[in-house]
Amino acid sequence: MTDAWYSKTNETIIPGNPDRIKAKWDPLQYLNLAQYLKVFNEYPRDFNPRVHGPYCPWRYYGKRDLSFGDVKLADVPAWIARRDKTPMGVYQGGIRTFWKFYRAYMDNKKPNLIWYTQIFVVASLFNFIFYAIPDRKHYKWAKYH
Amino acid sequence: MFTKITRPLISNGSLPLSFVYRPLSISSVFFKNTPSKTDDKSLVEKKTDEKILRVEDSLKDLSSIKWRTEHNGKRLWPHDQWPERDLVNFPPYKLREAPNAVRWYCVPESWFKFFYDKTGVTGPYMFFYGLIIYGFSKEYIVLWYDFTEYLILAAAVITVVKKVGPMVGDIFRGWHQEEVDRYTSVVNNSKAMAGKMLHGYEESLERAKSVGKLGDARKDIINMALETTYRERMRTMYEAVKRRLDYQVALQNARKDFERTNMINWITSEVKKSITAKQEQDSLQACLNQLRQMASSSR
């Protein structure tokens, strides 16, 4: 009949109608930031679900290449040249690194706090190298080493 | 009061206005884009509005997915629609059992394996110790008075983590496992209950099989009882007949006995009565003469 504020058709009042559900699960969703992040929220171009199955963010879906440990020292510049150095490639590499870290230390049945200690150690090293050493240069016992 | 009466009429369209009333609540902000009212009197079917995506539209999108029936000359079935799937290089996802191994709580084992071919087992150890020594020698690590605190702190932290770490991890994992069990126990308990009920049903089926045997046993019992009663009654009958016959026999014997004793007593009493005194003396003299004879002959 009418879709006024006091009367609705049967279709609209069926519970679970997604067109009428105006509430969001998380307050942050109201900002609708996904519209600005559409560039980052896409699958890589080489990903084909028919061949690769469900998407695993820790995997590289491009052409297979040697890992840095297996490449010889003479071929290192060529290896670096083959890498995808665009911003999108760098971003995807960073995402893959994070997901590899997550899968190595957090995504298992017996997690522990070694991921926390690793981050702690790296942060401590960064602080030591760039802030503590300059602060302690004043307290050196010898001038020339 | 006036608005309570006029608002429905205005929304209905029976009371057209040249201006717009201020909305009562903010819900009108959300319902602004709902479709406009339709004419009730029209008999034409209501056309679906383009803005609102209804269930039929999503079904319409799904209908564009077509199941493939052939690939490379091979028949494709509905349950097997992905012949290009590479399971060797891209295996399906599996949850890992344990995190990667780590030495000194921060250095991964893969680094040790990488350097094993080139430096052996002690390579990474020498590298890190060498780094520390390099830091001391070039005074990147200044040995000032707070160095003892850092040493003791390191020792204390390491001992505490070694002693307390596994226990704390187990406690947290236990809490997590309890929460998970609250979900999984539902299904497991219903499975167990179903199993118990099935076991009960199986037992009752077995009992049903033995009902025939039970009937035969009852028949045997009844037959045995019948035999017992038959034999008892036969015995009582025999005893009754025997009693009666014994009575007759005893009666005859008693009669004979009485007759014999009576006859004997009568005969003896009569004989005793018939013995006179003269006969008695004569018999006595005869016995004495016999005795004298015997005495004289034996001497």
Side-chain angles (χ1 to χ4, degrees):
Chain A
M1 192 176 74
T2 48
D3 277 340
W5 59 270
Y6 57 88
S7 85
K8 302 268 180 277
T9 55
N10 198 37
E11 261 174 0
T12 52
I13 61 166
I14 288 168
N17 185 359
D19 306 313
R20 285 195 79 219
I21 291 167
K22 303 291 175 192
K24 302 244 192 300
W25 199 251
D26 187 51
L28 205 65
Q29 287 174 290
Y30 283 98
L31 296 168
N32 197 9
L33 303 169
Q35 62 186 333
Y36 313 115
L37 297 168
K38 271 205 172 64
V39 181
F40 303 103
N41 209 22
E42 286 171 357
Y43 286 136
R45 246 173 250 163
D46 296 321
F47 173 66
N48 183 6
R50 288 198 166 276
V51 177
H52 303 128
Y55 180 64
C56 298
W58 58 84
R59 290 203 67 101
Y60 178 63
Y61 287 109
K63 192 168 174 305
R64 288 292 270 285
D65 196 5
L66 293 166
S67 66
F68 189 66
D70 303 327
V71 77
K72 302 286 175 203
L73 277 166
D75 303 330
V76 163
W79 185 87
I80 289 165
R82 269 180 271 148
R83 296 276 103 185
D84 183 13
K85 292 174 282 295
T86 62
M88 197 61 195
V90 170
Y91 169 73
Q92 278 174 356
I95 294 285
R96 265 181 270 131
T97 314
F98 164 75
W99 278 107
K100 276 185 195 155
F101 179 78
Y102 176 81
R103 215 170 108 79
Y105 295 107
M106 296 195 230
D107 193 21
N108 51 56
K109 288 184 191 169
K110 301 191 86 178
N112 50 27
L113 287 172
I114 281 171
W115 60 271
Y116 184 79
T117 51
Q118 285 185 339
I119 291 162
F120 186 86
V121 163
V122 168
S124 308
L125 277 172
F126 188 89
N127 180 63
F128 183 74
I129 290 164
F130 295 108
Y131 291 94
I133 288 175
D135 289 348
R136 280 154 182 70
K137 278 192 161 70
H138 192 62
Y139 295 95
K140 283 200 288 192
W141 293 107
K143 199 170 162 191
Y144 299 108
H145 297 98
Chain B
M1 189 74 175
F2 176 69
T3 49
K4 261 166 72 173
I5 297 156
T6 54
R7 269 197 182 265
L9 299 171
I10 291 155
S11 318
N12 203 16
S14 347
L15 212 69
L17 295 171
S18 57
F19 58 89
V20 177
Y21 260 110
R22 188 167 54 85
L24 283 170
S25 67
I26 60 164
S27 57
S28 58
V29 173
F30 297 112
F31 296 130
K32 219 170 29 174
N33 295 330
T34 50
S36 53
K37 54 170 174 52
T38 51
D39 198 355
D40 298 347
K41 292 176 198 143
S42 76
L43 299 167
V44 175
E45 217 172 71
K46 187 169 163 232
K47 210 167 58 160
T48 54
D49 200 34
E50 280 175 20
K51 279 189 195 167
I52 292 176
L53 188 75
R54 291 171 204 278
V55 172
E56 302 90 68
D57 297 351
S58 50
L59 283 174
K60 225 193 297 176
D61 292 338
L62 282 174
S63 67
S64 65
I65 293 167
K66 303 215 181 309
W67 294 112
R68 304 201 293 187
T69 51
E70 213 189 60
H71 174 79
N72 283 357
K74 228 172 49 165
R75 176 81 168 89
L76 273 189
W77 300 105
H79 64 274
D80 186 23
Q81 290 278 310
W82 300 270
E84 301 135 339
R85 177 90 169 83
D86 187 2
L87 288 163
V88 174
N89 295 324
F90 302 96
Y93 171 68
K94 260 196 173 144
L95 185 64
R96 302 180 73 221
E97 287 286 339
N100 285 1
V102 146
R103 281 201 225 183
W104 296 333
Y105 290 102
C106 52
V107 173
E109 278 282 345
S110 54
W111 294 14
F112 284 78
K113 264 193 274 184
F114 176 72
F115 287 112
Y116 179 75
D117 297 328
K118 297 166 178 62
T119 60
V121 169
T122 53
Y125 289 96
M126 300 315 295
F127 174 72
F128 287 112
Y129 297 151
L131 259 183
I132 291 159
I133 290 160
Y134 174 70
F136 286 130
S137 104
K138 294 281 265 186
E139 289 236 81
Y140 293 130
I141 303 166
V142 178
L143 289 171
W144 202 243
Y145 300 105
D146 52 1
F147 188 71
T148 4
E149 290 166 20
Y150 301 147
L151 271 180
I152 291 160
L153 177 70
V157 163
I158 284 162
T159 38
V160 165
V161 168
K162 278 180 127 79
K163 298 274 185 286
V164 165
M167 197 163 67
V168 166
D170 289 337
I171 288 162
F172 285 155
R173 259 177 240 126
W175 289 350
H176 177 66
Q177 195 60 38
E178 277 170 23
E179 291 289 329
V180 167
D181 289 340
R182 283 165 76 78
Y183 289 91
T184 53
S185 61
V186 173
V187 167
N188 291 341
N189 289 354
S190 41
K191 276 187 192 171
M193 279 207 290
K196 282 192 180 172
M197 286 172 79
L198 284 169
H199 187 241
Y201 297 150
E202 282 164 8
E203 276 184 351
S204 63
L205 284 170
E206 279 177 24
R207 265 182 250 137
K209 274 188 205 163
S210 64
V211 162
K213 283 188 203 163
L214 201 69
D216 292 343
R218 282 183 186 141
K219 279 181 199 163
D220 289 342
I221 287 161
I222 287 161
N223 284 336
M224 280 202 274
L226 285 170
E227 279 272 337
T228 311
T229 49
Y230 171 76
R231 285 183 190 206
E232 280 171 4
R233 284 175 192 174
M234 187 69 101
R235 189 189 161 83
T236 50
M237 205 169 72
Y238 164 80
E239 280 174 359
V241 167
K242 192 158 178 317
R243 269 187 71 202
R244 280 163 182 72
L245 292 173
D246 286 346
Y247 167 73
Q248 296 297 327
V249 164
L251 192 72
Q252 284 180 4
N253 289 346
R255 188 184 283 279
K256 280 185 192 162
D257 189 41
F258 174 75
E259 283 175 358
R260 283 196 193 117
T261 49
N262 198 28
M263 189 67 90
I264 288 165
N265 289 341
W266 184 64
I267 290 168
T268 50
S269 67
E270 283 293 310
V271 165
K272 279 184 184 161
K273 265 195 258 178
S274 72
I275 297 173
T276 56
K278 188 167 183 297
Q279 274 181 327
E280 213 175 319
Q281 276 191 346
D282 285 343
S283 62
L284 274 169
Q285 284 288 331
C287 291
L288 283 169
N289 291 337
Q290 273 184 353
L291 280 168
R292 282 186 200 117
Q293 239 186 345
M294 277 165 59
S296 68
S297 69
S298 68
R299 210 178 281 174

